Amino acid sequence: MAEFDLIERIRSRVPAREDVVLGIGDDAAVVRVPADRQLVVCTDTLNAGVHFPHDTAPADIGWKSLAVNLSDLAAMGAQPAWCTLSLSMPADDPAWLDGFLDGFLELAQQHGVALIGGDTTRGPLSISVTAHGLVQAGCAVRRDGAQAGDDVWVSGTLGDAAAALAMLSEADHAREASTSSPANGRATQTTPHLQVGVEPTVVTRLRQRLDRPQPRVALGLQLADIANAAIDISDGLWSDLGHVCRASGLGAVVELDALPSSPWLMQGVDADVRRNFQAAGGDDYELCFTASVSVRPQIASIAAQTGTALTRIGRMVRGVEVSGVDAGGGRWQPSRTGWVHFSD
Ligand code: ADP
Ligand code: MG
């Protein structure tokens, strides 16, 4: 199947959006931007084996490649509107493409996002999505607005995706080490890190967090009026909250016991490892934001309204870095702070 057949396969499945003047098919797309809005633009690339395990289902790759971008728009308090898709694939595989589009368009439809263009090439599997969103002029939530004394909040729970990834790599190592006992769906214990005999349902739920992150779009829109600073957690809490600290010229103190855990993480991972996954694992795609102590009641009602758990995990302080404190007041730092490309 040639490039233009693949593009036609994509085009035929893309729903219309009223403000798309010209979508897929010309040299570039044309969209209408309302006069009182600003355009918010972000791009994220997903490479096979780096941003998703090689065995990831095509639909999950499609979902995630859009989700990570919508998560960036959410962190800015933007309403997603349009996106483009740059697809590098090793073979002209229509079945793979259909699966990919199932996941991609499912999420696009949930948020009313129109796919308006892209590029299709042959090469190693790599997906690059650019997303465009809208904010009221001057109302984007930035990293540099945090104030000393602000509460630090996080949405949902942290650490599930990192746990899933660690279990996958342990299972891989176990398979390599022992060809006579192939993995049977249970994460095999090969290091003291993860709990022995984790239930398959727990592994499945954790894996779902890795493969199908839920961008916090509705929450981000509500936060536009409330938050002083926001970021989405892609590389890890320490790393990403660290960006807010640097941009705002402040430090942050995180109460370790306040970090929210899913029941699956509690079941699947011991406490000390769990803490590292939550602080530095990454791939959470939750929002971390800072807000004045005075808006706690509004934040409680946003949590109720959006059906999103919002947890106060610490506060912004004078200083330059993120530090953790345990229940006894002891200082703690994760064993690594987060994912950094080109760091090894
Ligand atoms: P050009 O050579 O002018 O860049 P292309 O042949 O690459 O045009 O693309 C033709 C049309 O198909 C363009 O409108 C482009 O945006 C769209 N397109 C190409 N690949 C994709 C894709 N993966 N997803 C969405 N639209 C695509
Ligand atoms: Mg092109």
Side-chain angles (χ1 to χ4, degrees):
M1 178 170 275
E3 175 190 346
F4 297 111
D5 299 319
L6 292 170
I7 295 172
E8 178 51 28
R9 213 171 176 93
I10 297 171
R11 196 203 56 76
S12 68
R13 290 186 58 179
V14 169
R17 191 179 142 113
E18 169 274 324
D19 52 11
V20 178
V21 180
L22 194 55
I24 294 171
D26 213 305
D27 291 312
V30 180
V31 295
R32 226 179 357 254
V33 181
D36 58 342
R37 301 297 163 97
Q38 288 173 333
L39 189 62
V40 181
V41 184
C42 62
T43 295
D44 252 326
T45 298
L46 266 62
N47 293 328
V50 179
H51 300 95
F52 55 88
H54 287 287
D55 72 347
T56 307
D60 291 338
I61 299 171
W63 174 285
K64 189 167 182 175
S65 64
L66 181 59
V68 299
N69 281 281
L70 298 189
S71 179
D72 281 326
L73 291 182
M76 301 301 291
Q79 173 76 61
W82 314 289
C83 65
T84 59
L85 166 64
S86 226
L87 199 52
S88 160
M89 47 203 280
D92 52 345
D93 182 346
W96 187 93
L97 181 63
D98 288 345
F100 176 90
L101 290 172
D102 288 344
F104 189 98
L105 295 175
E106 182 186 348
L107 184 62
Q109 245 139 17
Q110 281 183 19
H111 294 281
V113 174
L115 176 61
I116 55 171
D119 201 19
T120 306
T121 56
R122 188 191 297 266
L125 184 58
S126 175
I127 302 102
S128 192
V129 172
T130 298
H132 314 80
L134 298 167
V135 289
Q136 299 283 354
C139 292
V141 186
R142 302 157 50 136
R143 297 178 178 185
D144 60 5
Q147 305 290 316
D150 274 2
D151 290 324
V152 178
W153 295 84
V154 74
S155 65
T157 62
L158 300 177
D160 284 8
L165 210 52
M167 286 176 179
L168 276 175
S169 82
E170 285 198 357
D172 281 351
H173 288 133
R175 249 193 307 278
E176 280 164 23
S178 159
T179 47
S180 58
S181 57
N184 60 2
R186 282 189 167 234
T188 320
Q189 179 72 9
T190 57
T191 75
H193 291 325
L194 304 176
Q195 287 183 358
V196 179
V198 175
E199 285 299 317
T201 51
V202 170
V203 177
T204 305
R205 298 308 286 261
L206 294 174
R207 179 74 199 255
Q208 221 160 25
R209 291 291 308 275
L210 179 67
D211 290 339
R212 294 244 168 182
Q214 301 291 332
R216 299 296 192 182
V217 172
L219 173 63
L221 290 170
Q222 299 282 329
L223 291 179
D225 296 332
I226 296 278
N228 289 332
I231 193 164
D232 72 317
I233 304 176
S234 51
D235 297 329
L237 174 65
W238 245 245
S239 170
D240 291 317
L241 180 54
H243 294 312
V244 172
C245 286
R246 265 185 302 285
S248 300
L250 292 171
V253 175
V254 172
E255 291 159 33
L256 298 163
D257 290 340
L259 295 177
S261 307
S262 75
W264 310 293
L265 190 71
M266 299 289 277
Q267 280 179 59
V269 185
D270 291 328
D272 56 329
V273 180
R274 188 161 70 230
R275 193 166 273 186
N276 271 289
F277 287 160
Q278 294 184 299
D283 252 347
D284 298 298
Y285 301 101
E286 294 293 350
L287 296 187
C288 177
F289 60 96
T290 85
S292 161
V293 172
S294 65
V295 297
R296 284 181 189 175
Q298 286 95 312
I299 290 175
S301 60
I302 288 172
Q305 212 179 313
T306 59
T308 315
L310 297 178
T311 307
R312 193 150 46 82
I313 59 165
R315 66 200 165 82
M316 299 303 293
V317 296
R318 307 217 173 276
V320 292
E321 59 174 19
V322 181
S323 54
V325 288
D326 59 27
R331 294 271 152 174
W332 178 91
Q333 289 293 329
S335 46
R336 60 169 196 136
T337 51
W339 178 259
V340 182
H341 290 276
F342 305 114
S343 66
D344 47 29

